[in-house]
Structure formats: C-alpha cells, structure tokens
Amino acid sequence: MAVKREGPTHRQRQAMATREQIASAARTLFAERGYAATTIAGISEAADIPVQTIYSALGSKAAILAEITRMWMAESQTPQLAADALSEPDPQERLRMTAHMQRRQYDVGNDVIAIYQDAARTDSQMAEVQRQVLASRDREVAKLIDSLVPHLAPGLTRDQAMDRFLTCTLVEIYRTLIHERGWTADDYEQWLTDLLISQLL
C-alpha cells in the first residue's frame, strides 16, 4: 500500500525557496535604495532570478513586501510568542513575555518596519497597506489588554491602557535606545518589561 507523503512536495519547496530568495534580495534593496527607487529589474539582478519568474512567483513589489513580512514574522516567532504570553496566568509574567516578543520583533524586523514607513510616504497603495498592518497590530494588542483588564492599575481604563502600551512600544523608542544611545537588546527588553508593568498594573 502506498504511503501518503506529508508536508510540501519537492516542487512546492522549490517554489518557496524561490520566493524567499526574491524576498531576501528585495529586503536588502528596499533598505538601501528605498521602496520607490527599487525596481523589479533590480530585484531580479540582485536575486539572480529572471524578471518573469519574479512576476510569476510574487507579482509585484507589494506582494514581495508581504512575503518579506511573512518571513519576518516566522523568524521572530511572533505568533507563537504572542500566544504563549496570552496563555500565561500571571499578569506580570505575561507582560515580561510580551516585552520579549516585542524585542524579538524589532531585533529581527526593524528594517522591515522602516521599509513600510518609507513605502507609505511615496505610494498611496502602500500607505493603505501600512494602515491595514497597523490595524491588525492594534487588534492583537487589544487581545493582550483585554486579558489584563482585571489586573489594571486603579483608575486606568482599557483604552488608556491600550494607549500606554502602544506608546511604550513605539519602534522609534527602540531605535533611539539601541541605535543612538548604545543600549543592548537585553537592556531594552528589561526596561520595557519594567515600564509596562509600572504603567499598566
């Protein structure tokens, strides 16, 4: 009896490898040249993949950026870390785990966030994509805040807690502390943990 093969086929693995090769090359070019100045032809040259293959595999710069984002989320383990934090019963530990997740996100994808910000300034379609990405982020943050409502500091409303969290975790703060002030990622994570606990609980 034939045994059914599980997981992706060889062809599917090849297709995924091609997509990731395109995305990796594009990520470098987007960061170095800017989103608007980067062309599919330039990505083709950097990835050593024919232009037509890029169009067949992903289709557009916006789709390539979406693939970059998928790879970023997978590498930073954001979905799993967020789920682990939500399942933690102790609110202080939940925030510590969230601070670790946030640190991982920025360590791995600070450049991706900068690409989105650059793209949104020059491309109205990408500005809308960025709004959607931020809205999705806000929905995920709302799950955390809702889980903390019974533990919030006296007088602190859910909306105020949401505002404080979003402000404390701004990427600009991470960039200032890490890139300009010379903090280590561990320093940032510990500071963010202490800040979130003091501001929310």
Short mmCIF file of all heavy atoms in Angstrom, two decimals, residues 92-158:
data_model
loop_
_atom_site.label_atom_id
_atom_site.label_comp_id
_atom_site.label_asym_id
_atom_site.label_seq_id
_atom_site.Cartn_x
_atom_site.Cartn_y
_atom_site.Cartn_z
N GLN A 92 2.14 39.90 35.46
CA GLN A 92 3.50 40.44 35.32
C GLN A 92 4.33 39.60 34.37
O GLN A 92 5.06 40.13 33.54
CB GLN A 92 4.16 40.54 36.70
CG GLN A 92 3.58 41.62 37.59
CD GLN A 92 4.49 41.96 38.76
OE1 GLN A 92 5.69 41.64 38.75
NE2 GLN A 92 3.94 42.60 39.78
N GLU A 93 4.23 38.29 34.50
CA GLU A 93 4.96 37.39 33.61
C GLU A 93 4.44 37.54 32.18
O GLU A 93 5.20 37.45 31.22
CB GLU A 93 4.82 35.95 34.09
CG GLU A 93 5.57 34.94 33.24
CD GLU A 93 7.08 35.11 33.24
OE1 GLU A 93 7.60 35.88 34.07
OE2 GLU A 93 7.74 34.47 32.40
N ARG A 94 3.14 37.76 32.04
CA ARG A 94 2.55 37.97 30.71
C ARG A 94 3.17 39.18 30.04
O ARG A 94 3.48 39.16 28.85
CB ARG A 94 1.03 38.14 30.84
CG ARG A 94 0.26 37.98 29.53
CD ARG A 94 -1.25 38.13 29.80
NE ARG A 94 -1.65 37.32 30.94
CZ ARG A 94 -2.75 37.54 31.68
NH1 ARG A 94 -3.54 38.56 31.38
NH2 ARG A 94 -3.04 36.76 32.68
N LEU A 95 3.37 40.25 30.79
CA LEU A 95 3.98 41.44 30.23
C LEU A 95 5.47 41.24 29.97
O LEU A 95 6.02 41.78 29.00
CB LEU A 95 3.76 42.64 31.16
CG LEU A 95 2.33 43.18 31.17
CD1 LEU A 95 2.20 44.31 32.19
CD2 LEU A 95 1.92 43.69 29.78
N ARG A 96 6.13 40.46 30.82
CA ARG A 96 7.54 40.16 30.55
C ARG A 96 7.68 39.40 29.24
O ARG A 96 8.56 39.70 28.42
CB ARG A 96 8.13 39.32 31.70
CG ARG A 96 9.64 39.12 31.56
CD ARG A 96 10.14 37.96 32.39
NE ARG A 96 9.63 36.67 31.93
CZ ARG A 96 10.07 36.06 30.84
NH1 ARG A 96 11.02 36.58 30.08
NH2 ARG A 96 9.55 34.89 30.48
N MET A 97 6.81 38.42 29.04
CA MET A 97 6.84 37.65 27.80
C MET A 97 6.50 38.52 26.60
O MET A 97 7.05 38.36 25.51
CB MET A 97 5.88 36.46 27.91
CG MET A 97 6.29 35.45 28.96
SD MET A 97 5.03 34.19 29.33
CE MET A 97 5.08 33.23 27.82
N THR A 98 5.59 39.46 26.78
CA THR A 98 5.22 40.38 25.70
C THR A 98 6.39 41.30 25.36
O THR A 98 6.64 41.58 24.18
CB THR A 98 3.99 41.22 26.11
OG1 THR A 98 2.89 40.33 26.36
CG2 THR A 98 3.61 42.20 25.01
N ALA A 99 7.11 41.76 26.38
CA ALA A 99 8.28 42.60 26.13
C ALA A 99 9.34 41.82 25.35
O ALA A 99 10.00 42.37 24.46
CB ALA A 99 8.84 43.12 27.45
N HIS A 100 9.50 40.54 25.68
CA HIS A 100 10.45 39.71 24.93
C HIS A 100 10.01 39.57 23.48
O HIS A 100 10.84 39.68 22.56
CB HIS A 100 10.55 38.33 25.58
CG HIS A 100 11.41 37.38 24.80
ND1 HIS A 100 12.77 37.52 24.68
CD2 HIS A 100 11.08 36.27 24.07
CE1 HIS A 100 13.26 36.56 23.92
NE2 HIS A 100 12.26 35.79 23.53
N MET A 101 8.72 39.35 23.26
CA MET A 101 8.21 39.25 21.90
C MET A 101 8.46 40.55 21.12
O MET A 101 8.89 40.51 19.97
CB MET A 101 6.71 38.97 21.92
CG MET A 101 6.05 38.92 20.54
SD MET A 101 4.26 39.12 20.60
CE MET A 101 4.12 40.86 21.07
N GLN A 102 8.21 41.68 21.79
CA GLN A 102 8.41 42.97 21.13
C GLN A 102 9.87 43.18 20.77
O GLN A 102 10.21 43.65 19.68
CB GLN A 102 7.93 44.10 22.04
CG GLN A 102 7.76 45.43 21.34
CD GLN A 102 6.62 45.41 20.35
OE1 GLN A 102 5.47 45.27 20.73
NE2 GLN A 102 6.93 45.52 19.08
N ARG A 103 10.74 42.82 21.67
CA ARG A 103 12.18 42.93 21.42
C ARG A 103 12.58 42.07 20.23
O ARG A 103 13.33 42.50 19.36
CB ARG A 103 12.94 42.52 22.69
CG ARG A 103 14.46 42.39 22.54
CD ARG A 103 14.85 40.92 22.40
NE ARG A 103 16.29 40.71 22.28
CZ ARG A 103 17.07 40.39 23.29
NH1 ARG A 103 16.60 40.27 24.51
NH2 ARG A 103 18.37 40.16 23.06
N ARG A 104 12.04 40.83 20.17
CA ARG A 104 12.35 39.93 19.07
C ARG A 104 11.87 40.51 17.74
O ARG A 104 12.58 40.46 16.73
CB ARG A 104 11.70 38.57 19.30
CG ARG A 104 12.39 37.69 20.29
CD ARG A 104 13.57 36.97 19.68
NE ARG A 104 13.20 36.15 18.53
CZ ARG A 104 14.06 35.71 17.62
NH1 ARG A 104 15.34 36.04 17.73
NH2 ARG A 104 13.67 34.95 16.62
N GLN A 105 10.68 41.05 17.76
CA GLN A 105 10.13 41.66 16.54
C GLN A 105 11.05 42.74 16.01
O GLN A 105 11.35 42.80 14.81
CB GLN A 105 8.76 42.27 16.82
CG GLN A 105 7.59 41.37 16.56
CD GLN A 105 6.30 42.14 16.48
OE1 GLN A 105 6.11 43.15 17.17
NE2 GLN A 105 5.39 41.68 15.66
N TYR A 106 11.49 43.63 16.90
CA TYR A 106 12.32 44.75 16.47
C TYR A 106 13.74 44.32 16.13
O TYR A 106 14.34 44.83 15.18
CB TYR A 106 12.34 45.83 17.56
CG TYR A 106 11.03 46.58 17.69
CD1 TYR A 106 10.72 47.27 18.87
CD2 TYR A 106 10.11 46.61 16.66
CE1 TYR A 106 9.53 47.97 19.00
CE2 TYR A 106 8.92 47.30 16.79
CZ TYR A 106 8.63 47.98 17.96
OH TYR A 106 7.46 48.67 18.09
N ASP A 107 14.28 43.38 16.88
CA ASP A 107 15.62 42.89 16.57
C ASP A 107 15.67 42.31 15.15
O ASP A 107 16.62 42.54 14.40
CB ASP A 107 16.04 41.79 17.56
CG ASP A 107 16.48 42.34 18.91
OD1 ASP A 107 16.62 43.57 19.03
OD2 ASP A 107 16.68 41.53 19.83
N VAL A 108 14.66 41.54 14.82
CA VAL A 108 14.65 40.82 13.54
C VAL A 108 14.13 41.69 12.40
O VAL A 108 14.59 41.56 11.26
CB VAL A 108 13.80 39.53 13.65
CG1 VAL A 108 13.68 38.83 12.31
CG2 VAL A 108 14.41 38.59 14.68
N GLY A 109 13.19 42.60 12.69
CA GLY A 109 12.50 43.30 11.60
C GLY A 109 12.45 44.80 11.67
O GLY A 109 11.59 45.41 11.01
N ASN A 110 13.35 45.43 12.41
CA ASN A 110 13.37 46.89 12.43
C ASN A 110 13.48 47.47 11.03
O ASN A 110 12.85 48.47 10.69
CB ASN A 110 14.52 47.39 13.32
CG ASN A 110 14.68 48.89 13.30
OD1 ASN A 110 13.72 49.63 13.46
ND2 ASN A 110 15.89 49.35 13.09
N ASP A 111 14.27 46.83 10.18
CA ASP A 111 14.44 47.30 8.81
C ASP A 111 13.15 47.15 8.00
O ASP A 111 12.84 47.98 7.14
CB ASP A 111 15.58 46.56 8.11
CG ASP A 111 15.33 45.06 8.01
OD1 ASP A 111 14.81 44.47 8.97
OD2 ASP A 111 15.66 44.48 6.95
N VAL A 112 12.37 46.11 8.30
CA VAL A 112 11.11 45.91 7.58
C VAL A 112 10.12 47.01 7.93
O VAL A 112 9.41 47.53 7.05
CB VAL A 112 10.52 44.52 7.90
CG1 VAL A 112 9.21 44.31 7.13
CG2 VAL A 112 11.51 43.42 7.55
N ILE A 113 10.08 47.38 9.19
CA ILE A 113 9.20 48.48 9.61
C ILE A 113 9.60 49.77 8.89
O ILE A 113 8.75 50.53 8.41
CB ILE A 113 9.27 48.67 11.13
CG1 ILE A 113 8.76 47.41 11.84
CG2 ILE A 113 8.45 49.89 11.57
CD1 ILE A 113 9.00 47.40 13.33
N ALA A 114 10.91 50.01 8.79
CA ALA A 114 11.40 51.21 8.09
C ALA A 114 11.01 51.17 6.62
O ALA A 114 10.69 52.21 6.02
CB ALA A 114 12.92 51.31 8.24
N ILE A 115 11.02 49.99 6.01
CA ILE A 115 10.62 49.85 4.61
C ILE A 115 9.15 50.23 4.45
O ILE A 115 8.78 50.96 3.52
CB ILE A 115 10.87 48.42 4.10
CG1 ILE A 115 12.37 48.14 3.99
CG2 ILE A 115 10.19 48.19 2.75
CD1 ILE A 115 12.73 46.68 3.81
N TYR A 116 8.30 49.74 5.34
CA TYR A 116 6.88 50.09 5.29
C TYR A 116 6.69 51.61 5.44
O TYR A 116 5.89 52.23 4.71
CB TYR A 116 6.10 49.38 6.39
CG TYR A 116 5.56 48.03 5.99
CD1 TYR A 116 6.18 46.86 6.41
CD2 TYR A 116 4.42 47.92 5.20
CE1 TYR A 116 5.68 45.61 6.03
CE2 TYR A 116 3.92 46.68 4.83
CZ TYR A 116 4.55 45.53 5.25
OH TYR A 116 4.06 44.31 4.87
N GLN A 117 7.41 52.21 6.37
CA GLN A 117 7.27 53.64 6.60
C GLN A 117 7.71 54.43 5.37
O GLN A 117 7.06 55.40 4.98
CB GLN A 117 8.08 54.05 7.83
CG GLN A 117 7.51 53.49 9.13
CD GLN A 117 8.42 53.72 10.33
OE1 GLN A 117 9.64 53.78 10.20
NE2 GLN A 117 7.83 53.82 11.51
N ASP A 118 8.81 54.00 4.75
CA ASP A 118 9.30 54.64 3.54
C ASP A 118 8.31 54.46 2.39
O ASP A 118 7.99 55.41 1.67
CB ASP A 118 10.66 54.06 3.16
CG ASP A 118 11.15 54.53 1.80
OD1 ASP A 118 11.36 55.75 1.64
OD2 ASP A 118 11.31 53.70 0.89
N ALA A 119 7.80 53.25 2.22
CA ALA A 119 6.87 52.97 1.13
C ALA A 119 5.59 53.79 1.27
O ALA A 119 5.05 54.29 0.28
CB ALA A 119 6.55 51.48 1.10
N ALA A 120 5.11 53.92 2.50
CA ALA A 120 3.86 54.66 2.74
C ALA A 120 3.99 56.14 2.41
O ALA A 120 3.01 56.79 2.05
CB ALA A 120 3.42 54.49 4.19
N ARG A 121 5.21 56.67 2.51
CA ARG A 121 5.41 58.09 2.21
C ARG A 121 5.34 58.38 0.71
O ARG A 121 5.07 59.51 0.31
CB ARG A 121 6.77 58.55 2.75
CG ARG A 121 6.82 58.74 4.26
CD ARG A 121 8.08 59.46 4.69
NE ARG A 121 9.26 58.62 4.52
CZ ARG A 121 9.76 57.84 5.46
NH1 ARG A 121 9.15 57.76 6.63
NH2 ARG A 121 10.85 57.12 5.25
N THR A 122 5.60 57.38 -0.11
CA THR A 122 5.72 57.61 -1.55
C THR A 122 4.69 56.88 -2.39
O THR A 122 4.61 57.10 -3.60
CB THR A 122 7.12 57.18 -2.04
OG1 THR A 122 7.33 55.80 -1.72
CG2 THR A 122 8.20 58.02 -1.36
N ASP A 123 3.90 56.01 -1.78
CA ASP A 123 2.98 55.17 -2.53
C ASP A 123 1.66 55.09 -1.78
O ASP A 123 1.60 54.56 -0.67
CB ASP A 123 3.61 53.77 -2.70
CG ASP A 123 2.80 52.84 -3.59
OD1 ASP A 123 1.57 52.79 -3.42
OD2 ASP A 123 3.41 52.15 -4.43
N SER A 124 0.59 55.60 -2.38
CA SER A 124 -0.71 55.64 -1.70
C SER A 124 -1.24 54.24 -1.42
O SER A 124 -1.88 54.01 -0.39
CB SER A 124 -1.73 56.43 -2.53
OG SER A 124 -1.89 55.84 -3.82
N GLN A 125 -0.98 53.31 -2.33
CA GLN A 125 -1.39 51.93 -2.09
C GLN A 125 -0.69 51.36 -0.86
O GLN A 125 -1.31 50.71 -0.02
CB GLN A 125 -1.09 51.05 -3.31
CG GLN A 125 -1.45 49.57 -3.10
CD GLN A 125 -0.96 48.69 -4.24
OE1 GLN A 125 -0.37 49.15 -5.19
NE2 GLN A 125 -1.21 47.40 -4.11
N MET A 126 0.61 51.64 -0.75
CA MET A 126 1.36 51.13 0.39
C MET A 126 0.97 51.85 1.68
O MET A 126 1.06 51.28 2.77
CB MET A 126 2.85 51.24 0.13
CG MET A 126 3.36 50.28 -0.93
SD MET A 126 2.83 48.55 -0.63
CE MET A 126 3.54 48.26 0.99
N ALA A 127 0.54 53.10 1.56
CA ALA A 127 0.06 53.81 2.75
C ALA A 127 -1.17 53.10 3.31
O ALA A 127 -1.33 52.96 4.52
CB ALA A 127 -0.25 55.26 2.41
N GLU A 128 -2.04 52.63 2.40
CA GLU A 128 -3.22 51.89 2.83
C GLU A 128 -2.82 50.54 3.42
O GLU A 128 -3.38 50.10 4.43
CB GLU A 128 -4.17 51.70 1.66
CG GLU A 128 -5.40 50.85 1.97
CD GLU A 128 -6.23 51.41 3.12
OE1 GLU A 128 -6.24 52.64 3.32
OE2 GLU A 128 -6.86 50.59 3.83
N VAL A 129 -1.84 49.87 2.79
CA VAL A 129 -1.35 48.60 3.33
C VAL A 129 -0.79 48.79 4.73
O VAL A 129 -1.07 48.00 5.64
CB VAL A 129 -0.28 47.99 2.40
CG1 VAL A 129 0.41 46.80 3.08
CG2 VAL A 129 -0.89 47.56 1.07
N GLN A 130 -0.04 49.87 4.92
CA GLN A 130 0.51 50.13 6.25
C GLN A 130 -0.60 50.36 7.27
O GLN A 130 -0.52 49.88 8.40
CB GLN A 130 1.45 51.34 6.23
CG GLN A 130 2.14 51.57 7.57
CD GLN A 130 2.95 52.83 7.62
OE1 GLN A 130 2.54 53.88 7.10
NE2 GLN A 130 4.13 52.76 8.22
N ARG A 131 -1.65 51.08 6.87
CA ARG A 131 -2.78 51.29 7.79
C ARG A 131 -3.40 49.95 8.18
O ARG A 131 -3.78 49.74 9.34
CB ARG A 131 -3.82 52.20 7.14
CG ARG A 131 -3.46 53.69 7.17
CD ARG A 131 -4.64 54.56 6.79
NE ARG A 131 -4.97 54.44 5.37
CZ ARG A 131 -4.43 55.19 4.43
NH1 ARG A 131 -3.53 56.10 4.74
NH2 ARG A 131 -4.79 55.04 3.16
N GLN A 132 -3.51 49.05 7.21
CA GLN A 132 -4.07 47.73 7.50
C GLN A 132 -3.16 46.93 8.43
O GLN A 132 -3.65 46.24 9.33
CB GLN A 132 -4.30 46.97 6.19
CG GLN A 132 -5.37 47.58 5.30
CD GLN A 132 -5.44 46.92 3.93
OE1 GLN A 132 -4.77 45.93 3.67
NE2 GLN A 132 -6.26 47.47 3.05
N VAL A 133 -1.86 47.03 8.20
CA VAL A 133 -0.90 46.33 9.06
C VAL A 133 -1.00 46.85 10.49
O VAL A 133 -1.03 46.07 11.46
CB VAL A 133 0.53 46.49 8.52
CG1 VAL A 133 1.56 46.01 9.55
CG2 VAL A 133 0.71 45.72 7.21
N LEU A 134 -1.08 48.17 10.65
CA LEU A 134 -1.17 48.77 11.98
C LEU A 134 -2.50 48.42 12.65
O LEU A 134 -2.55 48.19 13.86
CB LEU A 134 -0.99 50.28 11.90
CG LEU A 134 0.40 50.76 11.47
CD1 LEU A 134 0.44 52.28 11.34
CD2 LEU A 134 1.46 50.29 12.46
N ALA A 135 -3.56 48.35 11.85
CA ALA A 135 -4.86 47.97 12.41
C ALA A 135 -4.83 46.53 12.91
O ALA A 135 -5.39 46.21 13.96
CB ALA A 135 -5.95 48.15 11.36
N SER A 136 -4.16 45.67 12.16
CA SER A 136 -4.00 44.28 12.59
C SER A 136 -3.19 44.21 13.87
O SER A 136 -3.51 43.44 14.80
CB SER A 136 -3.32 43.47 11.48
OG SER A 136 -3.10 42.15 11.88
N ARG A 137 -2.11 45.01 13.93
CA ARG A 137 -1.31 45.07 15.16
C ARG A 137 -2.16 45.52 16.34
O ARG A 137 -2.09 44.94 17.44
CB ARG A 137 -0.14 46.04 14.92
CG ARG A 137 0.90 46.18 16.03
CD ARG A 137 0.63 47.25 17.08
NE ARG A 137 0.03 48.47 16.61
CZ ARG A 137 0.68 49.59 16.35
NH1 ARG A 137 1.98 49.65 16.50
NH2 ARG A 137 0.03 50.68 15.96
N ASP A 138 -3.00 46.53 16.13
CA ASP A 138 -3.83 47.04 17.21
C ASP A 138 -4.81 45.97 17.71
O ASP A 138 -5.08 45.88 18.92
CB ASP A 138 -4.60 48.27 16.75
CG ASP A 138 -3.71 49.49 16.58
OD1 ASP A 138 -2.51 49.40 16.89
OD2 ASP A 138 -4.23 50.54 16.13
N ARG A 139 -5.33 45.16 16.79
CA ARG A 139 -6.26 44.09 17.21
C ARG A 139 -5.55 43.07 18.08
O ARG A 139 -6.13 42.56 19.05
CB ARG A 139 -6.87 43.43 15.98
CG ARG A 139 -7.90 44.29 15.25
CD ARG A 139 -8.68 43.49 14.22
NE ARG A 139 -7.85 43.03 13.12
CZ ARG A 139 -7.62 43.73 12.01
NH1 ARG A 139 -8.15 44.93 11.86
NH2 ARG A 139 -6.88 43.23 11.04
N GLU A 140 -4.30 42.77 17.75
CA GLU A 140 -3.55 41.82 18.56
C GLU A 140 -3.22 42.40 19.94
O GLU A 140 -3.29 41.71 20.96
CB GLU A 140 -2.26 41.41 17.84
CG GLU A 140 -2.51 40.59 16.58
CD GLU A 140 -3.32 39.34 16.83
OE1 GLU A 140 -2.97 38.59 17.77
OE2 GLU A 140 -4.32 39.13 16.12
N VAL A 141 -2.87 43.69 19.96
CA VAL A 141 -2.59 44.35 21.24
C VAL A 141 -3.85 44.36 22.10
O VAL A 141 -3.80 44.17 23.32
CB VAL A 141 -2.07 45.77 21.02
CG1 VAL A 141 -1.99 46.54 22.35
CG2 VAL A 141 -0.69 45.74 20.35
N ALA A 142 -4.99 44.58 21.46
CA ALA A 142 -6.26 44.63 22.20
C ALA A 142 -6.53 43.31 22.92
O ALA A 142 -7.09 43.31 24.03
CB ALA A 142 -7.40 44.96 21.25
N LYS A 143 -6.13 42.18 22.32
CA LYS A 143 -6.31 40.90 22.99
C LYS A 143 -5.52 40.86 24.29
O LYS A 143 -6.00 40.37 25.32
CB LYS A 143 -5.85 39.76 22.07
CG LYS A 143 -6.68 39.57 20.82
CD LYS A 143 -6.10 38.45 19.96
CE LYS A 143 -6.83 38.30 18.65
NZ LYS A 143 -6.23 37.24 17.79
N LEU A 144 -4.30 41.38 24.25
CA LEU A 144 -3.47 41.41 25.46
C LEU A 144 -4.10 42.32 26.51
O LEU A 144 -4.22 41.93 27.68
CB LEU A 144 -2.07 41.90 25.12
CG LEU A 144 -1.17 42.20 26.32
CD1 LEU A 144 -0.79 40.91 27.03
CD2 LEU A 144 0.07 42.97 25.89
N ILE A 145 -4.48 43.52 26.09
CA ILE A 145 -5.05 44.48 27.05
C ILE A 145 -6.33 43.92 27.66
O ILE A 145 -6.56 44.05 28.87
CB ILE A 145 -5.30 45.83 26.37
CG1 ILE A 145 -3.99 46.43 25.84
CG2 ILE A 145 -5.98 46.80 27.33
CD1 ILE A 145 -2.92 46.63 26.89
N ASP A 146 -7.18 43.31 26.84
CA ASP A 146 -8.41 42.73 27.38
C ASP A 146 -8.11 41.66 28.43
O ASP A 146 -8.83 41.54 29.42
CB ASP A 146 -9.24 42.11 26.24
CG ASP A 146 -9.89 43.16 25.35
OD1 ASP A 146 -9.99 44.32 25.78
OD2 ASP A 146 -10.28 42.81 24.21
N SER A 147 -7.03 40.91 28.22
CA SER A 147 -6.67 39.87 29.18
C SER A 147 -6.17 40.47 30.49
O SER A 147 -6.17 39.80 31.53
CB SER A 147 -5.60 38.94 28.60
OG SER A 147 -4.31 39.54 28.63
N LEU A 148 -5.74 41.73 30.43
CA LEU A 148 -5.18 42.39 31.62
C LEU A 148 -6.19 43.26 32.36
O LEU A 148 -5.87 43.77 33.44
CB LEU A 148 -3.98 43.26 31.21
CG LEU A 148 -2.74 42.53 30.71
CD1 LEU A 148 -1.74 43.53 30.13
CD2 LEU A 148 -2.10 41.72 31.82
N VAL A 149 -7.38 43.43 31.79
CA VAL A 149 -8.36 44.36 32.40
C VAL A 149 -8.58 44.11 33.89
O VAL A 149 -8.60 45.07 34.69
CB VAL A 149 -9.69 44.31 31.61
CG1 VAL A 149 -10.82 44.97 32.42
CG2 VAL A 149 -9.54 45.01 30.27
N PRO A 150 -8.72 42.86 34.34
CA PRO A 150 -8.93 42.66 35.79
C PRO A 150 -7.72 43.04 36.65
O PRO A 150 -7.86 43.18 37.87
CB PRO A 150 -9.18 41.14 35.90
CG PRO A 150 -9.58 40.70 34.53
CD PRO A 150 -8.80 41.58 33.60
N HIS A 151 -6.57 43.23 36.02
CA HIS A 151 -5.35 43.50 36.77
C HIS A 151 -4.82 44.92 36.56
O HIS A 151 -3.75 45.25 37.09
CB HIS A 151 -4.26 42.51 36.33
CG HIS A 151 -4.70 41.09 36.32
ND1 HIS A 151 -4.89 40.34 37.46
CD2 HIS A 151 -5.02 40.26 35.27
CE1 HIS A 151 -5.29 39.12 37.13
NE2 HIS A 151 -5.38 39.04 35.81
N LEU A 152 -5.53 45.74 35.80
CA LEU A 152 -5.04 47.09 35.52
C LEU A 152 -4.96 47.94 36.79
O LEU A 152 -5.70 47.71 37.75
CB LEU A 152 -5.94 47.78 34.49
CG LEU A 152 -5.94 47.20 33.07
CD1 LEU A 152 -6.90 47.98 32.18
CD2 LEU A 152 -4.53 47.19 32.48
N ALA A 153 -4.07 48.91 36.77
CA ALA A 153 -3.90 49.82 37.92
C ALA A 153 -5.23 50.52 38.22
O ALA A 153 -6.03 50.77 37.31
CB ALA A 153 -2.82 50.85 37.60
N PRO A 154 -5.48 50.84 39.48
CA PRO A 154 -6.73 51.51 39.86
C PRO A 154 -6.95 52.79 39.04
O PRO A 154 -6.04 53.61 38.89
CB PRO A 154 -6.52 51.84 41.34
CG PRO A 154 -5.55 50.80 41.82
CD PRO A 154 -4.63 50.56 40.66
N GLY A 155 -8.13 52.92 38.47
CA GLY A 155 -8.48 54.11 37.71
C GLY A 155 -8.05 54.08 36.25
O GLY A 155 -8.43 54.96 35.48
N LEU A 156 -7.27 53.09 35.87
CA LEU A 156 -6.79 53.01 34.48
C LEU A 156 -7.82 52.28 33.63
O LEU A 156 -8.16 51.13 33.91
CB LEU A 156 -5.45 52.27 34.44
CG LEU A 156 -4.75 52.20 33.07
CD1 LEU A 156 -4.32 53.60 32.62
CD2 LEU A 156 -3.54 51.27 33.13
N THR A 157 -8.32 52.95 32.61
CA THR A 157 -9.31 52.33 31.74
C THR A 157 -8.64 51.45 30.69
O THR A 157 -7.43 51.55 30.46
CB THR A 157 -10.16 53.39 31.02
OG1 THR A 157 -9.33 54.08 30.07
CG2 THR A 157 -10.76 54.38 32.01
N ARG A 158 -9.44 50.62 30.07
CA ARG A 158 -8.93 49.76 28.99
C ARG A 158 -8.32 50.60 27.88
O ARG A 158 -7.22 50.29 27.39
CB ARG A 158 -10.05 48.90 28.43
CG ARG A 158 -9.63 48.05 27.22
CD ARG A 158 -10.85 47.49 26.50
NE ARG A 158 -10.45 46.70 25.33
CZ ARG A 158 -10.16 47.22 24.15
NH1 ARG A 158 -10.17 48.56 23.97
NH2 ARG A 158 -9.82 46.44 23.13
#
